[in-house]
Amino acid sequence: MAPAVATYAPRDPSRTVLYTVIADHLETFLASCEADPDAPGLPAYVQREFYAYLQCGILAHGFLRLGCDTCPKELLLPFSCKRRGFCPSCAARRMAQTAAHLVECVLPWVPTRQWVVSVPVPLRYWMASSQDLTATVHTIIRTTIGQYYVNQAVARGCARANLQPGAVTFIQRFGSALNLNLHFHCVFLEGVYCDRTEASRKPRFVKGEPPTDTDIAAVVQKISHRVLRTLRSLGYLETGGDTVVATGSDPLVEDEPALARTLAASVQQRMAFGERAGQRVRRLGAGFGSAGEMPTLTGPHCASVQGFSVHAHTQVPAHRRDQLAQLIRYTARGAVSLERLTQDANGDLVSTFTHPWSDGTTGIRLAPLELVEKLAALVPLPHVHLVRYGGCLAPHSHLRGAILPTPRQQGLDGEEPHTGTPYWPWARLLGRVFGLEMRTCPFCRRGSLHIIAVITQESVITRILRHLQLASVPPPIAPARYRQACAVFD
């Protein structure tokens, strides 16, 4: 007998620990923030992120009807929130979709290397609240690393004007401890492309040599120098002197004081509100150091200076597209892992790490209200791109069309044109990542599923769910328990 075909089973987010905690404590947290005279309320986009998550995957908020062409059975598929903050389901969807699009439609078949660049703690706070500053710092990092590869090709006799590096950068806002840690994962081509358009020839890839520890130290030194110089010109740092001192100007405190407190506490591993306000989650050093500080090697292909660090030890050969997809899924992952988030007998949330820290720490423990506060700091600014393309991989680069992976390289028959969009159908992603056959009916295992209708009207939703004896009312959101929680949270 042939093995049964793996099929999709709709999830129930209301049974997860994360959903239960947010539904029970969100209103209490928002009420406590609004009652604080020094920091009244969080921005509307942060609140929308929480409420949208509480509707994600809930049938009572709308769904698709999928019917089988062989049997009379139907499958209901709930809508998702499609948010970018902390929703594990939507983050997993975006992670798989980004990896599939880049590997099959964007990144050429050449060696790649990941450069992870971390910045000092104060800069993480400034970038978290400023789209322009984040773009400026990213440009400095991308061009500095790109110049390293260009200089290698120039040393081999190539004309500098015809050389273009290529990179895809993922901007992550979170650390393993659910803290605000805005840093950059840059997937660089291990070399540069030589533009031969004038000769009517295709671009030629000039492979670069793997960086040495000395090269890494030089790169992080240049990044540190250029970023600090830019911060001084923008007014974030005082000019003159060896000591790097902030000017103290903070527009976010004036415009959104509650968000400013939340972000500042998160980057320092502290709590902003509640009975443990000001206390550390874990001790973490901060500061830029002195201008004369020399880079320190902290591991293979890893160096740090003045709070900046560069790690470039992960390299993927040209033919290992499976490893490249795995690397991109890691760089595009979400902030919260439901598998590593549990609730103990006392009601506290325990988030464990995939790898222990150097001091032996294996996880963190947060009260429910503290978890909600940490999640609020991870919500990105609206309309901010978290994936950025540079060099020959930029959307408007005239070389991009000539270096895209071809169907022949991927072992496909025919010349299937690229759609140019990163969107992948939901069913195709499930089949690619989990081996699930969404076109197969999970009931008869013979027929194919197809969309019958999109159900969005509340009255129709209620009738269908009641007929199927499913919950027709969304899970309740607990009202604010501010008076009862006042002694605990304040």
Side-chain angles (χ1 to χ4, degrees):
M1 179 181 294
V5 179
T7 54
Y8 170 77
R11 61 190 176 92
D12 187 0
S14 63
R15 297 181 179 272
T16 63
V17 173
L18 181 64
Y19 188 98
T20 303
V21 169
I22 294 178
D24 290 345
H25 299 278
L26 174 60
E27 295 293 344
T28 302
F29 173 73
L30 296 179
S32 64
C33 292
E34 293 175 356
D36 192 328
D38 298 328
L42 292 174
Y45 75 88
V46 177
Q47 300 185 34
R48 287 195 299 266
E49 193 86 18
F50 282 102
Y51 289 121
Y53 168 72
L54 293 178
Q55 297 183 6
C56 183
I58 303 300
L59 288 171
H61 291 292
F63 51 84
L64 294 178
R65 287 178 59 194
L66 303 178
C68 176
D69 55 9
T70 302
C71 68
K73 297 290 186 178
E74 293 184 6
L75 183 68
L76 304 185
L77 181 65
F79 297 140
S80 59
C81 65
K82 298 180 177 62
R83 297 285 174 163
R84 304 184 299 166
F86 50 82
C87 178
S89 175
C90 295
R93 156 68 184 264
R94 189 174 295 105
M95 171 190 70
Q97 178 175 292
T98 303
H101 172 67
L102 291 180
V103 171
E104 293 197 5
C105 304
V106 177
L107 294 175
W109 281 61
V110 297
T112 55
R113 181 176 296 273
Q114 178 188 219
W115 296 69
V116 183
V117 182
S118 301
V119 300
V121 170
L123 183 53
R124 300 173 192 173
Y125 167 76
W126 293 331
M127 289 193 303
S129 58
S130 174
Q131 176 182 1
D132 294 336
L133 180 60
T134 302
T136 300
V137 174
H138 167 252
T139 300
I140 294 174
I141 292 172
R142 177 179 57 81
T143 55
T144 302
I145 300 175
Q147 286 174 1
Y148 162 75
Y149 287 114
V150 170
N151 292 337
Q152 279 192 341
V154 170
R156 298 180 181 180
C158 299
R160 182 181 297 272
N162 297 331
L163 302 178
Q164 286 195 26
V168 179
T169 301
F170 298 85
I171 303 177
Q172 288 191 0
R173 290 178 58 92
F174 55 89
S176 57
L178 298 180
N179 59 309
L180 180 60
N181 179 10
L182 200 151
H183 58 290
F184 304 89
H185 288 254
C186 307
V187 180
F188 265 85
L189 308 183
E190 189 84 305
V192 296
Y193 271 96
C194 182
D195 185 4
R196 302 188 294 180
T197 306
E198 295 182 356
S200 300
R201 302 172 64 185
K202 289 186 176 181
R204 178 174 64 92
F205 183 72
V206 181
K207 187 177 182 301
E209 295 295 330
T212 63
D213 290 341
T214 304
D215 297 331
I216 301 296
V219 168
V220 72
Q221 183 80 306
K222 289 181 180 179
I223 292 176
S224 172
H225 173 72
R226 293 173 179 177
V227 171
L228 293 183
R229 182 179 59 190
T230 301
L231 292 176
R232 287 191 175 97
S233 65
L234 295 176
Y236 287 92
L237 299 176
E238 293 183 357
T239 58
D242 292 337
T243 304
V244 183
V245 181
T247 60
S249 176
D250 191 353
L252 186 63
V253 173
E254 301 176 2
D255 299 334
E256 299 288 351
L259 181 62
R261 286 178 55 179
T262 303
L263 298 182
S266 185
V267 297
Q268 300 178 71
Q269 291 281 7
R270 296 179 184 269
M271 303 309 305
F273 301 95
E275 61 176 1
R276 298 185 63 251
Q279 298 184 24
R280 292 181 181 272
V281 176
R282 176 181 181 269
R283 187 173 183 178
L284 182 68
F288 289 91
S290 61
E293 183 179 344
M294 297 302 295
T296 302
L297 298 177
T298 56
H301 299 97
C302 184
S304 62
V305 62
Q306 294 181 296
F308 296 85
S309 70
V310 171
H311 182 279
H313 191 59
T314 304
Q315 191 267 349
V316 179
H319 65 284
R320 294 305 305 268
R321 305 296 281 186
D322 56 335
Q323 291 185 4
L324 180 60
Q326 183 178 1
L327 172 63
I328 296 176
R329 284 197 295 267
Y330 168 76
T331 59
R333 71 191 187 280
V336 180
S337 172
L338 295 178
E339 291 76 13
R340 294 189 281 112
L341 183 66
T342 58
Q343 193 167 21
D344 61 15
N346 298 324
D348 289 336
L349 286 306
V350 177
S351 178
T352 57
F353 305 154
T354 53
H355 302 287
W357 288 349
S358 58
D359 62 354
T361 303
T362 58
I364 58 172
R365 185 186 303 274
L366 298 169
L369 289 173
E370 294 174 348
L371 175 63
V372 177
E373 176 189 322
K374 292 301 180 184
L375 295 178
L378 301 182
V379 178
L381 295 172
H383 314 297
V384 173
H385 295 289
L386 300 181
V387 181
R388 298 171 182 261
Y389 301 82
C392 60
L393 298 180
H396 297 291
S397 172
H398 66 280
L399 296 183
R400 175 164 169 162
I403 65 177
L404 296 179
T406 62
R408 182 181 60 83
Q409 290 174 323
Q410 303 177 51
L412 302 178
D413 296 332
E415 292 292 330
E416 298 182 1
H418 295 295
T419 61
T421 173
Y423 180 80
W424 280 50
W426 170 77
R428 185 181 177 190
L429 279 177
L430 287 177
R432 178 187 177 92
V433 178
F434 300 107
L436 298 178
E437 182 52 64
M438 276 302 302
R439 290 172 296 182
T440 302
C441 175
F443 303 103
C444 67
R445 303 297 179 103
R446 295 190 305 273
S448 298
L449 294 176
H450 57 277
I451 297 178
I452 298 177
V454 180
I455 310 300
T456 58
Q457 295 183 3
E458 183 178 355
S459 58
V460 180
I461 293 173
T462 302
R463 289 201 303 269
I464 293 177
L465 294 182
R466 285 180 178 176
H467 174 74
L468 298 176
Q469 297 182 353
L470 298 175
S472 60
V473 179
I477 301 177
R481 299 182 295 272
Y482 182 67
R483 292 182 179 179
Q484 294 86 340
C486 183
V488 178
F489 197 54
D490 287 341

